[in-house]
Each structure stands twice: as C-alpha cells, then as structure tokens.
C-alpha cells in the first residue's frame, strides 16, 4: 500500500504542456560548436530570454556571467513551478531531486573560498532547493572559510 496518492498522469500532462519553457537537449549539443556571440543571441531568443534581458539591463557583468545568471534564474523558476503543481508522491520527490541546486551552490562557494571566483558580484543561486538563496547569500557575505560555512 502506498503512503501517497499519486497522479503522475496529471504531472506528465502539465510538464508536456510546459515543455517549450525548457531548452531541448539539442540546444546544449549545438552550444559546443558556437562562439560566445551566437550563444548570447540564442539566450535572447530562447525560453530564458526574459531572464537574460533582465541581466543585460541590470548588470555590467561579462557575457558568460550574464548567461550563467539567466540560465540559473530561468531553470530555478521552472523547477519551482513544477513543484507548485505536483501532487502526492511526485510532490514529495521533487525536493529530493532539487538537491542538485544545493550541490551547484556549494561548488560556487568552494570556488570563492579557494580564491578562484572572479565574479563582479554575488552569484545567482540555484534557488529551488530546500536551503534557498537566503542561506547561500548569508554564507557568501559572512563566511570567509569553508569551516565557517560548515558551522552554520
């Protein structure tokens, strides 16, 4: 007997309806053959365009940094929206799957602690995991070593 009532058909239908909001795998395959200018044009025309345009208007960061922030922001928004309409077992599994965001955020912090991060400001966090952007912002601003971060 299952502890959860699952309606994966509903979740699958909602995801298929929103599939255009995500980049196709072929998009990422083609990026390896493009230059930075082509990548920027693709970001301006693709599903994460509003996020990229916001970065263009609000920051003076490099093209790569803008792309990273826009992709992170766009993916986070979409993952949170999926969690919003999931039900039953699927809703319980999404936070487990979203732990990948915490891993990405932790890697960014480690680069900072090792002095290998050349960002012009605070990173755009993968804001769909259980810890959230507030936690990573505070570690970014207030901790100067991995040990300080661990103690949080």
């Amino acid at each position: 007997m299952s502890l959860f009532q699952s309606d994966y058909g509903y979740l699958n239908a909602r995801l298929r309806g929103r599939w255009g909001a995500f980049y196709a795998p072929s998009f990422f395959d083609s990026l390896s053959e493009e230059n930075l200018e082509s990548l920027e044009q693709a970001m301006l025309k693709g599903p994460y365009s509003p996020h990229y345009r916001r970065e263009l208007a609000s920051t003076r960061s490099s093209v790569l940094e803008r792309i990273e922030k826009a992709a992170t922001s766009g993916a986070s928004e979409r993952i949170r929206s999926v969690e919003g309409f999931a039900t039953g077992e699927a809703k319980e599994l999404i936070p487990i799957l979203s732990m990948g965001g915490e891993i990405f955020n932790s890697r960014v912090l480690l680069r900072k602690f090792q002095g290998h991060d050349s960002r012009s400001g605070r990173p755009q966090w993968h804001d769909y995991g259980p810890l959230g952007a507030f936690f990573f912002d505070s570690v970014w601003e207030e901790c100067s070593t991995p040990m300080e971060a661990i103690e949080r």
Side-chain angles (χ1 to χ4, degrees):
M1 184 168 107
S2 174
L3 296 174
F4 303 103
Q5 293 294 324
S6 299
D7 189 357
Y8 286 105
Y10 171 74
L11 181 61
N12 286 334
R14 292 286 306 261
L15 285 173
R16 277 194 298 277
R18 298 197 52 163
W19 209 245
F22 293 92
Y23 283 109
S26 59
F27 172 81
F28 295 103
D29 291 338
S30 69
L31 291 182
S32 64
E33 302 167 8
E34 301 292 332
N35 61 27
L36 201 52
E37 194 173 287
S38 299
L39 176 57
E40 185 170 36
Q41 291 304 310
M43 290 297 289
L44 285 167
K45 296 175 186 171
Y48 297 169
S49 174
H51 300 274
Y52 193 74
R53 291 179 191 283
R54 183 181 63 226
E55 290 303 317
L56 275 173
S58 64
T59 65
R60 295 184 192 269
S61 54
S62 70
V63 173
L64 285 175
E65 198 171 333
R66 286 193 305 263
I67 290 170
E68 179 184 10
K69 286 181 175 184
T72 301
S73 176
S76 295
E77 178 183 273
R78 280 152 180 82
I79 290 170
R80 284 191 309 271
S81 74
V82 169
E83 185 176 18
F85 60 72
T87 60
E89 185 178 30
K91 190 164 192 78
E92 298 296 321
L93 291 173
I94 288 175
I96 296 167
L97 297 173
S98 70
M99 291 302 292
E102 312 299 35
I103 293 168
F104 289 123
N105 293 341
S106 298
R107 290 180 67 210
V108 170
L109 287 171
L110 286 173
R111 285 198 307 261
K112 175 198 177 215
F113 294 144
Q114 294 176 345
H116 300 302
D117 193 89
S118 59
R119 295 172 196 280
S120 60
R122 191 178 65 223
Q124 174 70 45
W125 302 112
H126 291 259
D127 190 20
Y128 49 85
L131 293 176
F134 178 78
F135 172 80
F136 287 101
D137 274 342
S138 66
V139 172
W140 180 267
E141 296 295 327
E142 299 167 15
C143 298
S144 58
T145 66
M147 188 55 79
E148 286 181 42
I150 290 169
E151 291 173 352
R152 286 198 162 244

